[in-house]
Amino acid sequence: DRIPMTPNVKIMFEVETLVNASPATVSRAGIIYVSETDLDWSPYVEGWVKRQSSSLQGLLRGLFTKYMGASNPVDPGHCIDWMNRNVSVVMACSRVGLLAGLCDLFKGLTEGKGAIDISIDTERRVERILLYCLCWSVGGLLEQEMRIKFDGYLRTLDKSGNM
């Protein structure tokens, strides 16, 4: 069956595996497979950071490095590595999905009507908002006992007392 769509509609499907996809399905849908380990969360976050105001970009990059680490094909960053070794999640979510949720929550808190004013005390407010978003997006997938461990881990990284 064909689904008629207007020219301004675009659909993107994210699948966990292509095991049951036929070559015809792949070619018709224009499917491109990119392994999570080949393209981890850092390109997504870097693209998101580049869309922020130039005055925030350096601060945000530094905070992501501080709290998440640097990801590459071998290492997902110290935060994800710590989580893989020390806690179990209630529901599986891709690493890109976790960080996309963090970025979306940050945007929701800092833009639009009723947003938090980050023009005053910018560094401290941005760090606190990012920590809040990290706790809710990444820590939100954890059970209560695991959230306490995650909180302790983040407090070891937070030298400025923003938690």
PDB file of all heavy atoms in Angstrom, residues 131-152:
ATOM      1  N   LEU A 131      22.730  19.601  34.193  1.00  0.00           N
ATOM      2  CA  LEU A 131      22.709  18.522  35.184  1.00  0.00           C
ATOM      3  C   LEU A 131      21.288  18.015  35.416  1.00  0.00           C
ATOM      4  O   LEU A 131      21.058  16.809  35.523  1.00  0.00           O
ATOM      5  CB  LEU A 131      23.322  18.993  36.501  1.00  0.00           C
ATOM      6  CG  LEU A 131      24.831  18.977  36.566  1.00  0.00           C
ATOM      7  CD1 LEU A 131      25.331  19.754  37.776  1.00  0.00           C
ATOM      8  CD2 LEU A 131      25.351  17.554  36.596  1.00  0.00           C
ATOM      9  N   TYR A 132      20.346  18.927  35.502  1.00  0.00           N
ATOM     10  CA  TYR A 132      18.940  18.554  35.658  1.00  0.00           C
ATOM     11  C   TYR A 132      18.501  17.677  34.483  1.00  0.00           C
ATOM     12  O   TYR A 132      17.877  16.625  34.663  1.00  0.00           O
ATOM     13  CB  TYR A 132      18.084  19.821  35.747  1.00  0.00           C
ATOM     14  CG  TYR A 132      16.603  19.570  35.824  1.00  0.00           C
ATOM     15  CD1 TYR A 132      15.990  19.310  37.048  1.00  0.00           C
ATOM     16  CD2 TYR A 132      15.817  19.610  34.682  1.00  0.00           C
ATOM     17  CE1 TYR A 132      14.622  19.087  37.124  1.00  0.00           C
ATOM     18  CE2 TYR A 132      14.450  19.394  34.750  1.00  0.00           C
ATOM     19  CZ  TYR A 132      13.855  19.125  35.972  1.00  0.00           C
ATOM     20  OH  TYR A 132      12.509  18.898  36.042  1.00  0.00           O
ATOM     21  N   CYS A 133      18.839  18.111  33.279  1.00  0.00           N
ATOM     22  CA  CYS A 133      18.467  17.364  32.080  1.00  0.00           C
ATOM     23  C   CYS A 133      19.156  16.003  32.037  1.00  0.00           C
ATOM     24  O   CYS A 133      18.553  15.006  31.635  1.00  0.00           O
ATOM     25  CB  CYS A 133      18.818  18.165  30.827  1.00  0.00           C
ATOM     26  SG  CYS A 133      17.906  19.711  30.684  1.00  0.00           S
ATOM     27  N   LEU A 134      20.398  15.949  32.452  1.00  0.00           N
ATOM     28  CA  LEU A 134      21.132  14.682  32.504  1.00  0.00           C
ATOM     29  C   LEU A 134      20.475  13.723  33.487  1.00  0.00           C
ATOM     30  O   LEU A 134      20.294  12.542  33.197  1.00  0.00           O
ATOM     31  CB  LEU A 134      22.593  14.951  32.898  1.00  0.00           C
ATOM     32  CG  LEU A 134      23.532  13.762  32.959  1.00  0.00           C
ATOM     33  CD1 LEU A 134      23.639  13.070  31.616  1.00  0.00           C
ATOM     34  CD2 LEU A 134      24.913  14.221  33.409  1.00  0.00           C
ATOM     35  N   CYS A 135      20.087  14.233  34.635  1.00  0.00           N
ATOM     36  CA  CYS A 135      19.430  13.384  35.640  1.00  0.00           C
ATOM     37  C   CYS A 135      18.103  12.847  35.128  1.00  0.00           C
ATOM     38  O   CYS A 135      17.776  11.682  35.357  1.00  0.00           O
ATOM     39  CB  CYS A 135      19.209  14.172  36.932  1.00  0.00           C
ATOM     40  SG  CYS A 135      20.729  14.493  37.832  1.00  0.00           S
ATOM     41  N   TRP A 136      17.332  13.669  34.432  1.00  0.00           N
ATOM     42  CA  TRP A 136      16.020  13.227  33.981  1.00  0.00           C
ATOM     43  C   TRP A 136      16.082  12.393  32.707  1.00  0.00           C
ATOM     44  O   TRP A 136      15.276  11.481  32.535  1.00  0.00           O
ATOM     45  CB  TRP A 136      15.092  14.419  33.786  1.00  0.00           C
ATOM     46  CG  TRP A 136      14.459  14.804  35.078  1.00  0.00           C
ATOM     47  CD1 TRP A 136      14.795  15.858  35.869  1.00  0.00           C
ATOM     48  CD2 TRP A 136      13.416  14.108  35.773  1.00  0.00           C
ATOM     49  NE1 TRP A 136      14.024  15.872  37.006  1.00  0.00           N
ATOM     50  CE2 TRP A 136      13.155  14.797  36.970  1.00  0.00           C
ATOM     51  CE3 TRP A 136      12.677  12.969  35.492  1.00  0.00           C
ATOM     52  CZ2 TRP A 136      12.193  14.391  37.877  1.00  0.00           C
ATOM     53  CZ3 TRP A 136      11.710  12.563  36.403  1.00  0.00           C
ATOM     54  CH2 TRP A 136      11.472  13.269  37.574  1.00  0.00           C
ATOM     55  N   SER A 137      16.995  12.693  31.799  1.00  0.00           N
ATOM     56  CA  SER A 137      17.039  11.935  30.547  1.00  0.00           C
ATOM     57  C   SER A 137      17.795  10.621  30.714  1.00  0.00           C
ATOM     58  O   SER A 137      17.278   9.565  30.375  1.00  0.00           O
ATOM     59  CB  SER A 137      17.650  12.767  29.425  1.00  0.00           C
ATOM     60  OG  SER A 137      18.975  13.119  29.738  1.00  0.00           O
ATOM     61  N   VAL A 138      18.981  10.687  31.240  1.00  0.00           N
ATOM     62  CA  VAL A 138      19.796   9.477  31.406  1.00  0.00           C
ATOM     63  C   VAL A 138      19.404   8.749  32.685  1.00  0.00           C
ATOM     64  O   VAL A 138      19.150   7.546  32.676  1.00  0.00           O
ATOM     65  CB  VAL A 138      21.300   9.836  31.406  1.00  0.00           C
ATOM     66  CG1 VAL A 138      22.149   8.611  31.635  1.00  0.00           C
ATOM     67  CG2 VAL A 138      21.680  10.513  30.098  1.00  0.00           C
ATOM     68  N   GLY A 139      19.300   9.471  33.782  1.00  0.00           N
ATOM     69  CA  GLY A 139      18.936   8.856  35.054  1.00  0.00           C
ATOM     70  C   GLY A 139      17.491   8.420  35.124  1.00  0.00           C
ATOM     71  O   GLY A 139      17.123   7.585  35.958  1.00  0.00           O
ATOM     72  N   GLY A 140      16.659   8.937  34.241  1.00  0.00           N
ATOM     73  CA  GLY A 140      15.253   8.572  34.236  1.00  0.00           C
ATOM     74  C   GLY A 140      14.992   7.121  33.869  1.00  0.00           C
ATOM     75  O   GLY A 140      13.919   6.596  34.123  1.00  0.00           O
ATOM     76  N   LEU A 141      15.965   6.462  33.271  1.00  0.00           N
ATOM     77  CA  LEU A 141      15.819   5.060  32.892  1.00  0.00           C
ATOM     78  C   LEU A 141      16.249   4.099  34.006  1.00  0.00           C
ATOM     79  O   LEU A 141      16.298   2.897  33.787  1.00  0.00           O
ATOM     80  CB  LEU A 141      16.635   4.766  31.628  1.00  0.00           C
ATOM     81  CG  LEU A 141      16.169   5.488  30.366  1.00  0.00           C
ATOM     82  CD1 LEU A 141      17.119   5.210  29.225  1.00  0.00           C
ATOM     83  CD2 LEU A 141      14.766   5.068  29.995  1.00  0.00           C
ATOM     84  N   LEU A 142      16.574   4.643  35.162  1.00  0.00           N
ATOM     85  CA  LEU A 142      17.089   3.820  36.255  1.00  0.00           C
ATOM     86  C   LEU A 142      16.052   3.613  37.350  1.00  0.00           C
ATOM     87  O   LEU A 142      15.184   4.456  37.563  1.00  0.00           O
ATOM     88  CB  LEU A 142      18.332   4.490  36.866  1.00  0.00           C
ATOM     89  CG  LEU A 142      19.474   4.830  35.907  1.00  0.00           C
ATOM     90  CD1 LEU A 142      20.552   5.599  36.642  1.00  0.00           C
ATOM     91  CD2 LEU A 142      20.036   3.580  35.261  1.00  0.00           C
ATOM     92  N   GLU A 143      16.166   2.491  38.054  1.00  0.00           N
ATOM     93  CA  GLU A 143      15.355   2.250  39.249  1.00  0.00           C
ATOM     94  C   GLU A 143      15.862   3.155  40.377  1.00  0.00           C
ATOM     95  O   GLU A 143      16.969   3.695  40.303  1.00  0.00           O
ATOM     96  CB  GLU A 143      15.463   0.783  39.688  1.00  0.00           C
ATOM     97  CG  GLU A 143      14.763  -0.179  38.773  1.00  0.00           C
ATOM     98  CD  GLU A 143      13.251  -0.153  38.905  1.00  0.00           C
ATOM     99  OE1 GLU A 143      12.704   0.632  39.717  1.00  0.00           O
ATOM    100  OE2 GLU A 143      12.613  -0.922  38.177  1.00  0.00           O
ATOM    101  N   GLN A 144      15.084   3.287  41.447  1.00  0.00           N
ATOM    102  CA  GLN A 144      15.402   4.194  42.554  1.00  0.00           C
ATOM    103  C   GLN A 144      16.809   3.964  43.119  1.00  0.00           C
ATOM    104  O   GLN A 144      17.573   4.907  43.302  1.00  0.00           O
ATOM    105  CB  GLN A 144      14.351   4.051  43.664  1.00  0.00           C
ATOM    106  CG  GLN A 144      14.578   4.981  44.842  1.00  0.00           C
ATOM    107  CD  GLN A 144      14.460   6.458  44.476  1.00  0.00           C
ATOM    108  OE1 GLN A 144      13.697   6.824  43.599  1.00  0.00           O
ATOM    109  NE2 GLN A 144      15.207   7.299  45.132  1.00  0.00           N
ATOM    110  N   GLU A 145      17.154   2.705  43.393  1.00  0.00           N
ATOM    111  CA  GLU A 145      18.483   2.424  43.981  1.00  0.00           C
ATOM    112  C   GLU A 145      19.597   2.820  43.028  1.00  0.00           C
ATOM    113  O   GLU A 145      20.658   3.290  43.452  1.00  0.00           O
ATOM    114  CB  GLU A 145      18.646   0.937  44.331  1.00  0.00           C
ATOM    115  CG  GLU A 145      17.509   0.300  45.075  1.00  0.00           C
ATOM    116  CD  GLU A 145      16.388  -0.174  44.155  1.00  0.00           C
ATOM    117  OE1 GLU A 145      16.628  -0.927  43.188  1.00  0.00           O
ATOM    118  OE2 GLU A 145      15.249   0.255  44.387  1.00  0.00           O
ATOM    119  N   MET A 146      19.373   2.591  41.744  1.00  0.00           N
ATOM    120  CA  MET A 146      20.379   2.930  40.735  1.00  0.00           C
ATOM    121  C   MET A 146      20.485   4.453  40.560  1.00  0.00           C
ATOM    122  O   MET A 146      21.554   4.971  40.269  1.00  0.00           O
ATOM    123  CB  MET A 146      20.041   2.272  39.391  1.00  0.00           C
ATOM    124  CG  MET A 146      19.979   0.766  39.431  1.00  0.00           C
ATOM    125  SD  MET A 146      21.583   0.061  39.847  1.00  0.00           S
ATOM    126  CE  MET A 146      21.080  -1.258  40.908  1.00  0.00           C
ATOM    127  N   ARG A 147      19.367   5.157  40.740  1.00  0.00           N
ATOM    128  CA  ARG A 147      19.397   6.625  40.648  1.00  0.00           C
ATOM    129  C   ARG A 147      20.256   7.216  41.755  1.00  0.00           C
ATOM    130  O   ARG A 147      20.949   8.211  41.538  1.00  0.00           O
ATOM    131  CB  ARG A 147      17.980   7.190  40.723  1.00  0.00           C
ATOM    132  CG  ARG A 147      17.159   6.915  39.497  1.00  0.00           C
ATOM    133  CD  ARG A 147      15.757   7.435  39.618  1.00  0.00           C
ATOM    134  NE  ARG A 147      14.993   7.044  38.438  1.00  0.00           N
ATOM    135  CZ  ARG A 147      13.734   7.332  38.264  1.00  0.00           C
ATOM    136  NH1 ARG A 147      13.063   8.027  39.171  1.00  0.00           N
ATOM    137  NH2 ARG A 147      13.113   6.944  37.176  1.00  0.00           N
ATOM    138  N   ILE A 148      20.232   6.606  42.918  1.00  0.00           N
ATOM    139  CA  ILE A 148      21.063   7.072  44.034  1.00  0.00           C
ATOM    140  C   ILE A 148      22.539   6.892  43.680  1.00  0.00           C
ATOM    141  O   ILE A 148      23.357   7.783  43.918  1.00  0.00           O
ATOM    142  CB  ILE A 148      20.681   6.333  45.333  1.00  0.00           C
ATOM    143  CG1 ILE A 148      19.263   6.747  45.747  1.00  0.00           C
ATOM    144  CG2 ILE A 148      21.683   6.616  46.441  1.00  0.00           C
ATOM    145  CD1 ILE A 148      18.650   5.884  46.829  1.00  0.00           C
ATOM    146  N   LYS A 149      22.884   5.752  43.072  1.00  0.00           N
ATOM    147  CA  LYS A 149      24.269   5.526  42.642  1.00  0.00           C
ATOM    148  C   LYS A 149      24.674   6.536  41.559  1.00  0.00           C
ATOM    149  O   LYS A 149      25.780   7.071  41.579  1.00  0.00           O
ATOM    150  CB  LYS A 149      24.426   4.104  42.107  1.00  0.00           C
ATOM    151  CG  LYS A 149      24.409   3.026  43.172  1.00  0.00           C
ATOM    152  CD  LYS A 149      24.463   1.643  42.579  1.00  0.00           C
ATOM    153  CE  LYS A 149      25.865   1.293  42.152  1.00  0.00           C
ATOM    154  NZ  LYS A 149      25.973  -0.135  41.748  1.00  0.00           N
ATOM    155  N   PHE A 150      23.762   6.788  40.628  1.00  0.00           N
ATOM    156  CA  PHE A 150      24.033   7.738  39.549  1.00  0.00           C
ATOM    157  C   PHE A 150      24.225   9.145  40.107  1.00  0.00           C
ATOM    158  O   PHE A 150      25.133   9.872  39.694  1.00  0.00           O
ATOM    159  CB  PHE A 150      22.900   7.701  38.521  1.00  0.00           C
ATOM    160  CG  PHE A 150      23.136   8.534  37.291  1.00  0.00           C
ATOM    161  CD1 PHE A 150      24.248   8.340  36.496  1.00  0.00           C
ATOM    162  CD2 PHE A 150      22.222   9.506  36.915  1.00  0.00           C
ATOM    163  CE1 PHE A 150      24.462   9.092  35.350  1.00  0.00           C
ATOM    164  CE2 PHE A 150      22.416  10.270  35.775  1.00  0.00           C
ATOM    165  CZ  PHE A 150      23.538  10.064  34.991  1.00  0.00           C
ATOM    166  N   ASP A 151      23.386   9.516  41.072  1.00  0.00           N
ATOM    167  CA  ASP A 151      23.516  10.812  41.740  1.00  0.00           C
ATOM    168  C   ASP A 151      24.898  10.931  42.384  1.00  0.00           C
ATOM    169  O   ASP A 151      25.566  11.954  42.252  1.00  0.00           O
ATOM    170  CB  ASP A 151      22.418  10.973  42.798  1.00  0.00           C
ATOM    171  CG  ASP A 151      22.571  12.258  43.578  1.00  0.00           C
ATOM    172  OD1 ASP A 151      22.212  13.317  43.031  1.00  0.00           O
ATOM    173  OD2 ASP A 151      23.043  12.207  44.728  1.00  0.00           O
ATOM    174  N   GLY A 152      25.333   9.882  43.061  1.00  0.00           N
ATOM    175  CA  GLY A 152      26.659   9.890  43.682  1.00  0.00           C
ATOM    176  C   GLY A 152      27.768  10.049  42.658  1.00  0.00           C
ATOM    177  O   GLY A 152      28.738  10.783  42.883  1.00  0.00           O
TER     178      GLY A 152
END
